[in-house]
């Protein structure tokens, strides 16, 4: 019931958002330091909306995450509509999956 109410209001508790953001950044670099407490504290609210998140991103609170060359290539190839090379990668990957299933 409580989760359904949150989905209707489009608000997320600040504490939960901070925890998810920390875990997301940890997937790239667990040692990266940034001001996690600044997220949501400027609004002095217990819940955040997308407008609050957008405002925090525009203020530069989201740290820059350096990507390695393989990470950049994978992100580019992930969307098979982005280029012919990505489409070829998509086809080869799917053929390899089908070949391993059969």
């Amino acid at each position: 019931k409580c989760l359904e109410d949150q989905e209707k209001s489009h608000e997320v508790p600040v504490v939960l958002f901070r925890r998810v953001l920390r875990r997301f950044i940890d997937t790239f670099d667990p040692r990266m330091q940034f001001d996690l407490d600044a997220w949501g504290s400027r609004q002095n609210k217990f819940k955040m909306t997308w407008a609050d998140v957008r405002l925090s991103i525009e203020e530069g609170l989201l740290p820059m995450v350096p990507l390695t060359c393989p990470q950049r290539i994978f992100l580019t190839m992930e969307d098979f509509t982005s280029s012919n090379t990505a489409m070829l990668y998509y086809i080869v990957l799917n053929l390899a999956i089908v070949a391993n299933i059969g």
Side-chain angles (χ1 to χ4, degrees), residues 20-95:
V20 170
L21 182 62
R22 178 74 256 177
R23 288 181 182 167
F24 176 71
I25 298 297
D26 284 349
T27 61
F28 295 102
D29 185 1
R31 293 168 281 139
M32 183 178 290
Q33 298 295 321
F34 66 101
D35 189 11
L36 194 60
D37 294 330
W39 287 82
S41 62
R42 287 189 174 85
Q43 292 85 9
N44 293 325
K45 296 189 288 187
F46 291 110
K47 294 189 177 187
M48 291 183 75
T49 63
W50 175 246
D52 299 327
V53 174
R54 188 176 53 80
L55 180 65
S56 297
I57 291 172
E58 287 175 353
E59 290 176 358
L61 295 179
L62 193 64
M64 295 298 292
V65 178
L67 298 175
T68 63
C69 184
Q71 288 171 328
R72 288 178 188 269
I73 291 171
F74 180 75
L75 285 174
T76 303
M77 298 297 176
E78 187 175 35
D79 180 14
F80 64 89
T81 61
S82 65
S83 68
N84 289 335
T85 307
M87 177 61 85
L88 179 65
Y89 173 77
Y90 173 77
I91 292 170
V92 169
L93 187 64
N94 282 314
L95 288 174

